[in-house]
Amino acid sequence: MGPPSSSGFYVSRAVALLLAALAVALLLALLVLAALYGHRPRARPAEPCGCGGPDAAPSPAPGAGEPAPTPKSRPAPEPAAKTPSRDWRSPGPWDRLRLPPWLEPLHYDLELWPRLRPDALPARRLRFTGRANVTVRCVAATARLLLHSLSLHHELPAVRGPLSPGARDAAAGRVPVDDVWFAEDTQYMVLELGEALRPGGLYELQLSFEGPVLDEAREGLFLNVYTDQGERRALIASHMEPTFARSVFPCFDEPALKATFNITVIHHPSYVALSNMPQLGQSERTDVNGSKWMVTTFYTTPHMPTYLVALAICDCDQVNRTERGKEIRVWARKDAIANGNADFALNITGPIFSFLEDLFNISYPLPKTDIIALPVFDHHAMENWGLLMFDESLLLLQPSDRLTNKKALIAYIISHEIGHQWFGNLVTMNWWNNIWLNEGFASYFEFGVINYFNPKLPRNEIFFSNFLHGVLSEDHALVSRAVSVKVENFTETSEINELFDLYTYNKGASMARMLSSFLNEHLFISALKSYLEAFSYSNAEQDDLWKHFQMAIDDQSKILLPATVKSIMDSWTHQGGFPVITLNVSSGVMKQEPFYLGNIENKTLLTHNGTWIVPILWMKNGTTQSLVWLNKSSKVFPEMQVSDSDNDWVILNLNMTGYYRVNYDKLGWKKLNQQLEKDPKAIPVIHRLQLIDDAFSLSKNNYIEIETALDLTKYLAEEDEIIVWHDVLANLVTRDLVSDVNNYDIYPLLKKYLLKRLKPIWNIYATTIRENVTALQDDYLALISLEKLFASACGFDLEDCLQLSRELFRKWMNNPENEIPNPIKNVILCYGIALGSDKEWDFLLNVYTNTTEEGERIRLVYAMSCSKDPWILNRYMDYAIAGSPFPFNETNVIEDVAASEVGRYIAKDFLVNNWQAVSKRYGTQSLVSLIYIIGRSISTDLQIMELQQFFSNMLEEHQWISVHAKLQTIKNENLKNKKRSARIAEWLRKNI
């Protein structure tokens, strides 16, 4: 304190005494009020609890009958700081996304009671009540407790303790709760205590609450209303990942805060209740209205995070089998069980469990597995320990799925979720920033499991199609996020949900595959076994995984690495994007650079300056060579040199196991092109696919000339692998090349060039479709590639394709049992309408009216937009905006019509007189989308001006600002594509 000031003012003695008396009186009044108010704990006024409800069982008052609280202990300074008013709080732990490390949850006694009754459907605005007694260990003295709670109404909580270890201490004292408030942004419930908890002490939080059962979103506790055996029914299920457990019960909702759970579910007696563990017992409870309810309790779970807590209340049937003494049950609608739709899933589940148990030498720790098919589940599938949940479309196999990739899809998804029983459930990432440790490895083993059971499958081509192609098309160095994200980068809970993306799943799986490729499968599995054993029932960081791989490397001498496993893999997981590896075969110089969209010229402005430690597996003249490493920006490899005079050729990235694209100098590409024209089969299928995919991506982004990519297609008349053709057609038969009327010069050239080479593979599959279509059912690559082949052939007016479309459509019209093969059904429906009249169109409308399955209705709605008759399309759009008698709620019909070249002009004219009705039917944003669709080929400012004038009265002035900017982007992109198209056309003229 500084010296006293000499300045001041004068107060008389009488006034001073009067002021002193008033001050004392005011202070006494404040003390009395504080004493009265402070001894009455209070929940947040804005969240009153209606937990009692008309049919709720009475709850004992928290702390009733308990002894007086123990004397106050001295709190730790920071946690025990007094809380300001919740309306004006100073910064504190409630502002941070991560929970403070003051408490460690050990066990939850959790009871949930949703009020679902079969005689009260549809059960909208359904609610549930619940209780959670949470045993915690105090790590640091604190008089403030933070735990997660979202959209729950709470009764007054109680805190008991300290408890005696290992015993339910009925005589434990009560810790006063002075205040309860909520930090909405960070989703915390904050308890202000009258005394601090003691470090090392055990305490029990007693919490009663109420919340909504959601019927729109499939998160937390949610409702499915559906039809089964001709009756309307409902079920309740849960989805807690990543942060939805807090909307079901107050909890410590972070993956590292594992605990055990005793779960009790109260439900109507006509339903069955399922949870993570087997049923322990059942009893009956009567509510205040005299209604009977069933109380189902379950055995104690292993230590697990809150996001794996699961329950379902349903009126389903099940099929079951036993695998290694443990029961597996698949639950679904009674109709589906009776029809055998769940049998395939049941029969593959046990063997997949056994394979992974043997692979890791770690038994599945739970005594049972339930799998439930939900009528609607937005998250597709969830790996909850002991109670796996699937959208029924991804679990149940229908007879109509015979000629689809559905069987393979179900097998892949089940394998993925079972893989999580080890990667995620047994060993969990420490926090969500490393969710790829769960999803990436589950994705990798999904692929490995299926290849084990189907060794004839083309594993490399399937991995490319399912994982690699999609993420390489999206990933680039400028804005893509890293696989492993720094925790400090997260500021909001919503950002956690955004992690469930291509980078976590596809790139994560690619990281695992690359790691396996430069080690070997034995070493890879050995390291994973060690990792899983060390962190069972616990949590791990990415560095923990690298440590166990390093231990495996250090225990042998055969495989030598240029750096530690951590250094190698961190270079891939801690930075976004991937490198382009360029080999100059004349000099043997190899270099790496980040892949940028458009290969931005002024790279000095970019911040990406990292390099990757790149494993280079390669082949020369078809023979696999020794692994080399590119661990700096460039390096010389003399063994990779070839000369113009010899017949040697080199391909980098063996089997595409590395996560990068490969470029060559002109001689390198020339040698590969010569080999393709001489003997394409000398280059393995995966590398013919790689050459096409890398070359077109690199040319599109200005790393190589488009002519270099086109040269690789000359041999295609000899290409009989449909997956390679799929990639060629995906790159060449694009809307901007063949559908834009402004590109009238390129269409006949491309048509002549491709049809000349396409006919051999077309004949193979057209014959199969006509004569032995069932042969396709086990050809996974054909099932996913045929649609593009048929669409291209028909799009180029190949007469046999058009004739086959007419045949198949008319046979189906005449007899619905003559089903159109599913892989080409979209194409056949579209061309059946395009080549037909109103007779075919009206037939399809009638099929739509009598179809209930949403996916099929979407397919039919799109097909009806393929008509080339203006009056039919105008009638169709009239039907759509009227909304009756045909609802067409599955998609925006106007957008579907505008997407075709004929429909674009018809939809544009239709909008002139109907834009208000379109806006009312589909929303104002649909008008914006239509502007972009209709204006997709603009290439001049005049065209933009004309479009704005045309739509001028349809949008507000402020909307035009963003629309104009978007149209400018479309224009610039089209101008760039126009230059590319001109070069393609010139090349085609020389090579037809």
Side-chain angles (χ1 to χ4, degrees):
M1 179 177 279
S5 170
S6 60
S7 62
F9 57 91
Y10 175 80
V11 179
S12 71
R13 185 172 184 177
V15 172
L17 288 172
L18 179 59
L19 289 173
L22 287 171
V24 170
L26 181 60
L27 181 60
L28 286 171
L30 287 172
L31 287 171
V32 170
L33 287 171
L36 289 171
Y37 192 62
H39 282 83
R40 191 183 71 174
R42 57 196 185 280
R44 181 185 181 188
E47 297 206 10
C49 181
C51 300
D55 55 357
S59 299
E66 295 172 3
T70 54
K72 291 185 181 180
S73 59
R74 186 180 181 87
E78 208 277 320
K82 284 292 180 182
T83 308
S85 162
R86 63 182 176 84
D87 296 321
W88 184 254
R89 294 191 306 272
S90 60
W94 47 83
D95 297 313
R96 294 192 279 271
L97 195 60
R98 300 290 303 275
L99 280 163
W102 306 334
L103 300 178
E104 176 190 358
L106 303 176
H107 178 76
Y108 292 77
D109 283 315
L110 177 62
E111 176 186 285
L112 294 170
W113 186 354
R115 298 314 200 272
L116 178 65
R117 306 169 61 96
D119 56 354
L121 298 179
R124 302 299 179 190
R125 300 184 63 83
L126 192 68
R127 300 191 70 79
F128 69 91
T129 57
R131 300 178 191 174
N133 291 343
V134 189
T135 303
V136 300
R137 176 185 289 117
C138 180
V139 177
T142 177
R144 175 185 292 131
L145 309 185
L146 274 73
L147 65 163
H148 290 104
S149 177
L150 177 66
S151 302
L152 297 175
H153 293 174
H154 289 264
E155 288 185 358
L156 301 178
V159 179
R160 291 162 48 87
L163 310 174
S164 301
R168 296 189 65 83
D169 196 343
R174 176 186 173 195
V175 180
V177 179
D178 288 348
D179 193 11
V180 179
W181 54 273
F182 296 81
E184 291 184 0
D185 291 345
T186 44
Q187 302 174 359
Y188 289 135
M189 175 184 186
V190 184
L191 279 63
E192 303 286 354
L193 306 181
E195 62 186 60
L197 306 186
R198 303 172 187 172
L202 299 181
Y203 297 84
E204 184 179 71
L205 315 183
Q206 297 179 334
L207 306 155
S208 295
F209 49 89
E210 175 196 26
V213 177
L214 304 180
D215 52 28
E216 296 295 334
R218 255 59 68 174
E219 56 194 43
L221 275 189
F222 62 88
L223 183 73
N224 269 192
V225 179
Y226 61 100
T227 301
D228 191 13
Q229 297 181 322
E231 296 179 1
R232 196 152 179 79
R233 303 193 182 181
L235 63 78
I236 284 176
S238 65
H239 181 74
M240 309 297 194
E241 189 184 34
T243 58
F244 303 131
R246 64 193 66 176
S247 65
V248 178
F249 59 102
C251 57
F252 297 87
D253 200 11
E254 292 190 7
L257 298 178
K258 292 187 173 184
T260 55
F261 293 80
N262 281 350
I263 295 173
T264 298
V265 178
I266 304 174
H267 57 96
H268 192 275
S270 65
Y271 292 122
V272 63
L274 304 172
S275 188
N276 304 84
M277 297 298 287
Q279 180 180 305
L280 173 62
Q282 286 190 319
S283 59
E284 199 175 76
R285 181 179 295 185
T286 304
D287 65 25
V288 294
N289 296 323
S291 299
K292 304 289 186 184
W293 295 84
M294 187 67 69
V295 180
T296 300
T297 58
F298 298 90
Y299 282 93
T300 306
T301 70
H303 275 86
M304 66 182 198
T306 49
Y307 80 82
L308 290 178
V309 170
L311 65 100
I313 300 170
C314 63
D315 181 17
C316 294
D317 275 351
Q318 51 94 8
V319 286
N320 63 81
R321 62 176 281 176
T322 300
E323 183 79 12
R324 295 184 174 179
K326 296 182 178 182
E327 188 176 34
I328 298 170
R329 301 182 295 184
V330 179
W331 299 80
R333 290 178 294 105
K334 295 180 178 183
D335 280 342
I337 295 295
N339 293 334
N341 303 145
D343 293 351
F344 175 70
L346 177 70
N347 291 332
I348 66 171
T349 296
I352 294 171
F353 266 110
S354 296
F355 168 72
L356 290 174
E357 284 185 330
D358 294 340
L359 184 67
F360 301 129
N361 197 29
I362 298 174
S363 295
Y364 174 66
L366 272 65
K368 63 90 177 177
T369 298
D370 283 311
I371 299 176
I372 184 167
L374 304 176
V376 182
F377 188 41
D378 302 340
H379 302 276
H380 304 311
M382 180 61 200
E383 67 268 18
N384 308 304
W385 231 352
L387 179 54
L388 285 71
M389 296 186 181
F390 291 76
D391 187 286
E392 66 175 26
S393 66
L394 300 174
L395 188 72
L396 304 180
L397 194 64
Q398 310 288 345
S400 59
D401 295 327
R402 186 169 51 93
L403 280 179
T404 69
N405 64 338
K406 182 78 167 289
K407 196 172 182 180
L409 183 63
I410 291 171
Y412 280 120
I413 293 177
I414 290 177
S415 298
H416 181 100
E417 303 310 325
I418 294 176
H420 272 308
Q421 309 308 301
W422 286 265
F423 294 96
N425 298 8
L426 185 66
V427 178
T428 311
M429 74 279 147
N430 200 50
W431 201 67
W432 299 107
N433 61 309
N434 275 319
I435 182 60
W436 86 272
L437 295 177
N438 285 19
E439 300 298 350
F441 279 89
S443 297
Y444 174 76
F445 281 104
E446 137 193 356
F447 153 81
V449 166
I450 299 306
N451 279 283
Y452 172 81
F453 287 108
N454 303 275
K456 292 183 179 180
L457 283 176
R459 58 185 299 160
N460 294 314
E461 291 81 1
I462 289 176
F463 190 91
F464 172 85
S465 299
N466 288 10
F467 295 102
L468 197 55
H469 179 264
V471 70
L472 281 178
S473 301
E474 294 293 327
D475 202 5
H476 59 98
L478 196 56
V479 295
S480 298
R481 74 167 180 85
V483 169
S484 178
V485 187
K486 293 180 180 179
V487 175
E488 53 266 29
N489 289 358
F490 294 84
T491 58
E492 296 181 7
T493 304
S494 60
E495 293 169 343
I496 296 171
N497 293 313
E498 296 168 7
L499 292 173
F500 292 82
D501 60 9
L502 274 174
Y503 304 109
T504 289
Y505 289 83
N506 296 35
K507 190 171 181 177
S510 301
M511 295 297 99
R513 182 169 176 253
M514 182 168 65
L515 179 58
S516 173
S517 72
F518 69 73
L519 302 176
N520 59 50
E521 191 69 12
H522 173 75
L523 200 63
F524 181 73
I525 297 299
S526 175
L528 287 177
K529 284 181 183 178
S530 172
Y531 165 76
L532 291 171
E533 288 168 0
F535 293 96
S536 290
Y537 306 104
S538 186
N539 297 77
E541 296 279 6
Q542 177 175 277
D543 282 355
D544 297 317
L545 179 64
W546 304 152
K547 178 182 176 182
H548 282 265
F549 273 102
Q550 191 63 50
M551 289 162 52
I553 289 290
D554 294 343
D555 285 346
Q556 54 84 59
S557 57
K558 186 177 179 181
I559 296 174
L560 301 175
L561 301 179
T564 63
V565 174
K566 173 177 167 55
S567 297
I568 293 169
M569 295 308 297
D570 280 359
S571 77
W572 294 91
T573 61
H574 281 169
Q575 61 181 332
F578 61 87
V580 176
I581 307 301
T582 300
L583 173 64
N584 186 314
V585 299
S586 301
S587 63
V589 173
M590 187 187 300
K591 68 173 185 176
Q592 62 166 292
E593 59 182 315
F595 175 81
Y596 293 107
L597 292 181
N599 193 15
I600 300 166
E601 293 179 9
N602 192 359
K603 292 178 184 165
T604 57
L605 299 177
L606 303 177
T607 57
H608 196 294
N609 55 6
T611 58
W612 291 263
I613 303 177
V614 188
I616 307 290
L617 286 160
W618 62 293
M619 66 164 55
K620 191 170 188 177
N621 302 330
T623 302
T624 302
Q625 307 294 312
S626 298
L627 169 70
V628 298
W629 290 86
L630 181 61
N631 54 0
K632 49 188 176 181
S633 58
S634 66
K635 202 171 180 179
V636 179
F637 295 95
E639 64 270 34
M640 296 184 185
Q641 287 179 271
V642 300
S643 68
D644 199 10
S645 59
D646 59 35
N647 295 317
D648 292 345
W649 50 272
V650 171
I651 288 181
L652 305 186
N653 198 8
L654 189 68
N655 295 325
M656 296 191 77
T657 53
Y659 187 75
Y660 50 86
R661 291 202 183 274
V662 181
N663 189 13
Y664 304 92
D665 64 340
K666 289 185 178 180
L667 179 61
W669 285 114
K670 176 184 174 183
K671 290 287 187 177
L672 291 166
N673 186 40
Q674 288 173 345
Q675 183 58 46
L676 285 172
E677 294 194 56
K678 176 185 175 184
D679 179 14
K681 296 297 175 72
I683 298 177
V685 177
I686 185 62
H687 290 295
R688 303 202 299 272
L689 180 59
Q690 174 200 12
L691 290 173
I692 294 293
D693 201 65
D694 279 355
F696 275 99
S697 175
L698 292 171
S699 69
K700 184 180 179 181
N701 291 288
N702 303 321
Y703 286 86
I704 64 174
E705 306 295 337
I706 181 59
E707 292 82 0
T708 302
L710 291 168
D711 284 341
L712 296 174
T713 68
K714 292 178 181 178
Y715 87 98
L716 282 173
E718 304 301 318
E719 182 57 77
D720 57 3
E721 293 289 342
I722 195 167
I723 187 65
V724 179
W725 266 106
H726 183 274
D727 207 65
V728 170
L729 297 173
N731 279 290
L732 280 179
V733 187
T734 58
R735 169 171 284 169
D736 61 297
L737 288 180
V738 300
S739 296
D740 184 359
V741 293
N742 294 327
N743 278 330
Y744 54 84
D745 58 334
I746 201 171
Y747 174 82
L749 297 170
L750 196 58
K751 172 182 175 179
K752 188 173 182 180
Y753 179 82
L754 283 178
L755 283 184
K756 181 179 177 181
R757 290 160 176 79
L758 186 75
K759 285 180 181 177
I761 190 140
W762 163 262
N763 290 333
I764 292 172
Y765 285 100
T767 301
T768 303
I769 293 289
R770 285 185 168 108
E771 298 179 2
N772 186 23
V773 70
T774 56
L776 295 172
Q777 61 188 357
D778 295 318
D779 189 344
Y780 179 79
L781 294 179
L783 292 174
I784 64 174
S785 304
L786 270 173
E787 182 174 311
K788 186 63 178 177
L789 177 68
F790 269 67
S792 301
C794 286
F796 285 131
D797 298 326
L798 180 64
E799 183 53 41
D800 192 45
C801 184
L802 300 177
Q803 181 58 34
L804 184 55
S805 297
R806 292 188 194 97
E807 279 177 33
L808 294 173
F809 193 94
R810 286 172 183 168
K811 283 182 180 179
W812 177 58
M813 271 186 75
N814 295 332
N815 184 357
E817 291 186 5
N818 294 325
E819 293 183 10
I820 300 171
N822 195 74
I824 57 171
K825 190 169 184 178
N826 288 335
V827 180
I828 302 304
L829 290 177
C830 185
Y831 278 92
I833 294 297
L835 299 169
S837 64
D838 58 325
K839 178 182 177 182
E840 285 78 12
W841 199 94
D842 290 342
F843 167 78
L844 212 60
L845 178 63
N846 185 58
V847 174
Y848 167 84
T849 305
N850 292 290
T851 299
T852 57
E853 202 274 310
E854 185 178 14
E856 189 65 15
R857 287 169 70 91
I858 292 172
R859 173 183 265 172
L860 295 169
V861 166
Y862 167 75
M864 285 186 279
S865 71
C866 294
S867 175
K868 295 183 179 180
D869 288 330
W871 74 270
I872 291 178
L873 293 177
N874 273 299
R875 183 183 68 172
Y876 188 24
M877 290 187 286
D878 270 332
Y879 286 165
I881 61 173
S884 66
F886 314 107
F888 300 123
N889 291 327
E890 294 77 16
T891 184
N892 187 322
V893 167
I894 317 300
E895 290 183 8
D896 286 345
V897 170
S900 74
E901 285 309 305
V902 173
R904 177 179 8 178
Y905 302 100
I906 297 167
K908 184 179 177 182
D909 290 342
F910 182 84
L911 279 175
V912 172
N913 298 317
N914 299 281
W915 67 268
Q916 289 173 316
V918 171
S919 179
K920 182 178 179 181
R921 177 74 170 88
Y922 295 112
T924 307
Q925 186 57 37
S926 69
L927 297 177
V928 176
S929 299
L930 281 165
I931 292 172
Y932 300 151
I933 294 170
I934 291 169
R936 61 182 177 265
S937 63
I938 57 173
S939 58
T940 68
D941 289 331
L942 180 60
Q943 289 173 319
I944 293 178
M945 192 182 305
E946 288 173 349
L947 205 60
Q948 285 180 308
Q949 289 174 349
F950 185 83
F951 288 102
S952 60
N953 60 336
M954 300 185 193
L955 297 179
E956 299 292 335
E957 188 173 342
H958 70 275
Q959 292 176 296
W960 275 115
I961 297 172
S962 59
V963 168
H964 182 82
K966 174 71 173 179
L967 291 174
Q968 285 289 343
T969 301
I970 293 172
K971 180 198 79 171
N972 294 335
E973 188 67 24
N974 286 336
L975 287 173
K976 186 176 76 172
N977 290 338
K978 217 166 190 177
K979 294 177 183 177
R980 177 180 166 89
S981 298
R983 292 179 64 175
I984 293 173
E986 185 59 31
W987 185 93
L988 288 169
R989 289 187 188 96
K990 295 175 181 177
N991 290 279
I992 287 178

